[in-house]
Amino acid sequence: MALLGYLGYFLAGYTALTLVFYMLSVVVPKAAFVARVLASYLSLVVCAIYGALASIFLRLVGNGQIAQWATARGFKYVMALTTGVTFEVEDPKHILDTTRPAVFIGNHQTELDVLMLGWMFPKYCSVTAKSSLRKTPFLGWFMSLSGSIFIDRKNSKDAREAMRGAADEIREKRQSVYMFPEGTRSYAKEPMLLPFKKGAFHLAVQAQVPIVPVVAANYSHVLYVKELVFKSGKIPLKVLDPIPTTGLTAEDVDELTQSTRELMLKEIVALTEKARGTSVKTPPQASRNGVVKATGRKVPA
């Protein structure tokens, strides 16, 4: 009981501090950055705890494969309430509801991409994560309970080997996965893509399932960490047509990775122009040099 009491005091104080920064932002605009960061982390912890409990319940009733979808939707509504940030999903062909299993991929801009997942995450899908994340408090517990596919990356020089177990799970359970092929956040102010790692593409080819790109407009007008900008706003998000991998082999992965990256970059620029209402110059990353070898070097053009 004492522990619950301390937890209650902490949450009350944390919430009060967040509200103070929101009120301060009326006269000091940069305070809004602190307020929304505080609100975001509190929302994430609350939803991770909810997700762990929901995962246990859904497993008991035989629906464990939708645990991450249920948690993502909860995070979507909590963040809309606490930060005012939403995504506008464009999926006229209902690909998110009808394509299963698949490897879903997207551009990785900031920590706010977790909220992006909240808006588009399909049922019967899970994220992939490093095996080391299993032991992370709250988030790791939720990921373990909700059926995340953990990948052993000790042998980082062989993407195919690292993905072999994940491909087996996709085939056996008909479970889709979501991955960020850039491997890290770009924190870019303008639309761009970092070089792609090939793991997601090896995974799709090994499992013989389609790749479904989901791209978000550059949202530095909403969140730009380098200038302490964090505002409310609506961000366009588009689901692209599935890219089949049936019949492809490991020899086709380089070309598949390059062509998918070029397609995604083109759509990101178009979405950003839509969000800003002005033209955006296509970045130099559009050239055919955006694939990372397992050694960490780009594939030459």
Side-chain angles (χ1 to χ4, degrees):
M1 293 299 292
L3 180 59
L4 290 176
Y6 286 127
L7 181 60
Y9 284 127
F10 170 77
L11 291 175
Y14 192 104
T15 302
L17 181 63
T18 303
L19 292 173
V20 166
F21 275 103
Y22 267 125
M23 289 186 290
L24 185 62
S25 67
V26 176
V27 291
V28 183
K30 294 296 184 184
F33 176 85
V34 179
R36 286 191 171 86
V37 168
L38 290 172
S40 297
Y41 279 112
L42 181 60
S43 299
L44 183 63
V45 170
V46 168
C47 288
I49 295 172
Y50 154 71
L53 297 174
S55 299
I56 294 171
F57 172 76
L58 289 169
R59 278 193 173 192
L60 291 175
V61 299
N63 285 320
Q65 284 182 288
I66 67 169
Q68 293 195 8
W69 168 83
T71 306
R73 289 301 182 269
F75 189 59
K76 158 187 168 178
Y77 293 117
V78 171
M79 283 288 285
L81 177 65
T82 59
T83 68
V85 179
T86 61
F87 283 80
E88 184 178 27
V89 182
E90 183 182 341
D91 183 20
K93 298 181 181 179
H94 304 288
I95 292 168
L96 294 176
D97 297 326
T98 58
T99 305
R100 173 193 175 202
V103 175
F104 293 88
I105 61 173
N107 51 317
H108 203 7
Q109 300 183 60
T110 73
E111 289 80 0
L112 198 60
D113 291 336
V114 177
L115 176 58
M116 181 270 294
L117 294 180
W119 282 84
M120 57 69 55
F121 210 72
K123 289 184 178 179
Y124 306 102
C125 184
S126 62
V127 296
T128 59
K130 296 181 293 185
S131 297
S132 58
L133 282 178
R134 286 181 189 267
K135 299 178 182 179
T136 303
F138 300 116
L139 183 60
W141 304 339
F142 157 64
M143 293 177 75
S144 296
L145 288 168
S146 63
S148 295
I149 297 178
F150 291 97
I151 298 172
D152 184 1
R153 296 179 181 172
K154 291 180 181 178
N155 184 10
S156 59
K157 292 184 178 181
D158 193 343
R160 285 173 289 180
E161 194 65 30
M163 295 297 162
R164 183 172 296 168
D168 291 340
E169 285 199 46
I170 290 173
R171 286 192 296 264
E172 293 168 8
K173 299 180 180 179
R174 295 194 66 234
Q175 180 86 353
S176 299
V177 298
Y178 189 96
M179 301 180 72
F180 293 109
E182 292 168 279
T184 190
R185 305 171 190 90
S186 64
Y187 294 108
K189 194 168 186 176
E190 298 298 329
M192 57 88 72
L193 284 172
L194 296 173
F196 274 12
K197 301 186 184 210
K198 296 185 289 185
F201 302 90
H202 277 300
L203 177 57
V205 168
Q206 285 187 26
Q208 292 288 281
V209 298
I211 294 168
V212 180
V214 182
V215 295
N218 179 275
Y219 53 71
S220 59
H221 61 293
V222 172
L223 175 62
Y224 189 53
V225 177
K226 294 177 182 179
E227 295 181 3
L228 302 182
V229 172
F230 197 173
K231 303 175 181 178
S232 62
K234 182 180 292 186
I235 302 164
L237 180 71
K238 185 176 181 179
V239 183
L240 308 186
D241 289 341
I243 300 170
T245 64
T246 304
L248 298 185
T249 67
E251 285 70 32
D252 301 306
V253 166
D254 279 351
E255 183 178 350
L256 176 65
T257 305
Q258 288 178 344
S259 61
T260 302
R261 182 179 180 277
E262 290 173 3
L263 172 65
M264 290 174 64
L265 184 57
K266 178 181 177 181
E267 292 291 345
I268 291 167
V269 170
L271 278 178
T272 303
E273 290 178 337
K274 175 183 175 181
R276 297 180 181 178
T278 184
S279 61
V280 174
K281 185 178 180 180
T282 302
Q285 287 83 1
S287 62
R288 295 180 65 86
N289 65 347
V291 182
V292 174
K293 287 186 175 180
T295 59
R297 294 182 287 108
K298 293 181 183 178
V299 174

